[in-house]
Amino acid sequence: QVQLVESGGGLVQAGGSLRLSCAASGRAFSGYAMGWFRQAPGKEREFVAAISWNGGSTYYADSVKGRFTISRDNAKNTVYLQMNSLKPEDTAVYYCAAVYRLYPPMNDEYDYWGQGTQVTVSS
């Protein structure tokens, strides 16, 4: 069992930055690929970024490529999402997810999900 707790969300002006963190409980964090997803009001949940077990491979949605960076610190059982050049369309609840495999799936079939953190970007 893995519990995920996101933090770092908030209100920011367009063009600003935020760093989200996701702290994982339990052992064997390095055995999990991790992902970030988001869901805006009235929209489907969408993939944002994912990272392999050792951080060696990262994946991004086209909409955030070049602006967002996913990283992880296995010693701290934490995955991060650095978000720069934020846009109003980035406004959503951001969710962290974990899957017990070395590389993330190309869908949302993750084993564990956090409760989400709100990110609001004002224009």
Side-chain angles (χ1 to χ4, degrees):
Q1 187 77 7
V2 173
Q3 291 187 326
L4 304 172
V5 179
E6 302 97 334
S7 61
L11 173 64
V12 64
Q13 289 188 332
S17 298
L18 283 174
R19 188 175 83 154
L20 304 184
S21 299
C22 173
S25 67
R27 297 181 292 180
F29 176 71
S30 61
Y32 289 81
M34 302 295 295
W36 285 98
F37 291 77
R38 68 186 181 186
Q39 188 167 21
K43 294 189 175 181
E44 298 281 318
R45 182 173 62 194
E46 65 174 357
F47 168 76
V48 176
I51 190 166
S52 63
W53 68 283
N54 62 351
S57 297
T58 56
Y59 311 84
Y60 297 95
D62 288 342
S63 59
V64 306
K65 206 170 291 184
R67 300 188 298 122
F68 290 11
T69 302
I70 188 171
S71 62
R72 65 188 295 161
D73 185 339
N74 286 347
K76 295 183 178 180
N77 283 14
T78 301
V79 63
Y80 305 97
L81 185 68
Q82 177 67 44
M83 306 186 295
N84 299 328
S85 302
L86 282 161
K87 305 175 181 180
E89 51 264 43
D90 295 318
T91 295
V93 177
Y94 283 70
Y95 297 91
C96 170
V99 59
Y100 191 58
R101 47 187 285 180
L102 299 182
Y103 293 90
M106 294 295 106
N107 51 35
D108 63 354
E109 291 183 357
Y110 283 69
D111 300 322
Y112 303 101
W113 294 82
Q115 83 289 349
T117 186
Q118 176 71 47
V119 171
T120 303
V121 184
S122 64
S123 57

